[in-house]
Amino acid sequence: MPPKFLEIDKKRKQMKSNTQQSLLIIYTGGTIGMIEDTGDKSLKPIDFNHISKEIPELKKISHKLKWISLDPIVDSSDIKPENWELMAETVYKNHYKFDGFIFLHGTDTMAYSASALSFHFENLAKPVIFTGSQLPIGLVRTDGRENLLSAIEIAAAQNNNGPMVPGVSIYFENKLFQGNRTTKYSAENFNAFVSPNYPILGESGVYLKFFKENIHYPKLGDKLRLHKKFNPHVGILKVFPGITKEFVEPILKNKHLRAIVLETFGAGNATTEKWFITLIISYIKSGGVVLNVSQCLAGTVEQGKYETSLELKKAGVFGGSDITTEAAVTKLMCLLGQNISKKKLLIRLNNSISGEIN
Ligand code: ASP
């Protein structure tokens, strides 16, 4: 979608965006915070008190920066709902002390964490920007330097009414994405993330550009709310040609599993084999929730378009529209954590909470 309105920060010096903002930078773990040990060449976490040794440009930044590391710091492949709860609490407790927040995070599950944080909060009016890097900050060719410096500028950028980019976003390799629309798609390119179903919020080049019509601005004055607890009893069931009853049955009969993200083909299609539909029906009848999400990166689930998805619809499977798997999993964990009735949960599932579906 071509931007209808382009905000170009041409005269940064004269603009409010360059007045001093105070930002909390939170290291959670991952490559961006690593330097190479001069002795054994292993990667070890950096001491953020001395980060300006690695990035001298930080000394030229006029904003007030405070650095903290979460305890524990983890490789993002080890992230769990407890870590998200700690991240969300850190923002919540410091919300009135800082103008914006930056999470330095591993790339592997950054899209999950950004989605999770977007559901932890309602009416989040301050920027929460996730960034990371493919190469450690201590290496000469690191992508972390630009990612971090631009994330700082973006978190500090001001609009007439307050922050330019409120809510949770990911900044990576020149692009600003809505956090809960993003997926990691490359393990080696510097541009590691895509947001196939939602246009970018901004772009950095010579200037920082913001596409304001893509940014969700909360109503001014609405109180910040934190949904603290997530329920982790959610699973992903990815269908594939030749999928067997022996594989699916133990999953759908697992009593702990409260909700399943069913990753289907194309526009929401799966096998029409009787055993499969019967298992889905009995899982839903026993109280479980099934959300249909496409394995395709782009496009939307349309249950009923083909016979192969009509059966799912009739069984009570919920169509996930154009949601990502990352957002689907974390949305379900968040809704289940609220201990609401299944009826209310399904209503919330069907509606956008934080811009995660069209
Ligand atoms: N495994 C690392 C992580 O996600 C990779 C990275 O930092 O990008 O934490």
Side-chain angles (χ1 to χ4, degrees), residues 92-283:
Y92 191 70
K93 281 189 190 147
N94 289 290
H95 188 252
Y96 293 105
K97 292 192 210 142
F98 292 90
D99 300 305
F101 301 85
I102 295 165
F103 279 104
L104 304 180
H105 194 287
T107 54
D108 288 346
T109 62
M110 191 186 289
Y112 282 92
S113 294
S115 300
L117 269 271
S118 80
F119 300 127
H120 265 297
F121 292 109
E122 269 178 55
N123 309 318
L124 181 59
K126 293 200 176 169
V128 173
I129 319 261
F130 279 76
T131 196
S133 63
Q134 296 280 54
L135 284 177
I137 204 110
L139 294 191
V140 177
R141 287 186 57 248
T142 185
D143 50 330
R145 185 178 299 113
E146 195 282 324
N147 284 348
L148 173 60
L149 294 169
S150 292
I152 291 172
E153 293 254 335
I154 291 164
Q158 297 290 297
N159 193 4
N160 297 336
N161 304 317
M164 178 65 83
V165 193
V168 183
S169 51
I170 290 181
Y171 176 77
F172 217 88
E173 184 65 7
N174 305 332
K175 289 195 172 60
L176 182 67
F177 303 99
Q178 184 169 305
N180 56 23
R181 291 294 196 143
T182 313
T183 293
K184 180 176 179 182
Y185 94 108
S186 174
E188 56 185 37
N189 287 352
F190 282 160
N191 55 342
F193 291 91
V194 286
S195 166
N197 283 332
Y198 198 75
I200 56 172
L201 310 183
E203 206 166 22
S204 77
V206 174
Y207 303 113
L208 275 182
K209 298 173 195 169
F210 295 102
F211 307 130
K212 292 214 291 189
E213 80 283 5
N214 301 336
I215 300 173
H216 294 277
Y217 289 97
K219 273 196 264 138
L220 284 177
D222 282 352
K223 202 168 171 271
L224 179 70
R225 280 189 66 195
L226 171 69
H227 296 292
K228 200 170 158 204
K229 278 275 158 226
F230 272 29
N231 182 330
H233 293 292
V234 172
I236 301 174
L237 176 56
K238 181 170 183 163
V239 301
F240 54 91
I243 193 166
T244 60
K245 185 174 177 192
E246 289 69 29
F247 172 68
V248 175
E249 193 164 33
I251 299 173
L252 290 179
K253 293 225 162 129
N254 180 337
K255 293 266 174 300
H256 298 288
L257 206 54
R258 302 275 311 278
I260 287 176
V261 173
L262 184 66
E263 270 203 5
T264 54
F265 307 121
N269 309 312
T271 174
T272 50
E273 296 232 29
K274 186 121 184 27
W275 63 263
F276 183 76
I277 302 297
T278 309
L279 281 173
I280 295 271
I281 291 174
S282 74
Y283 176 72

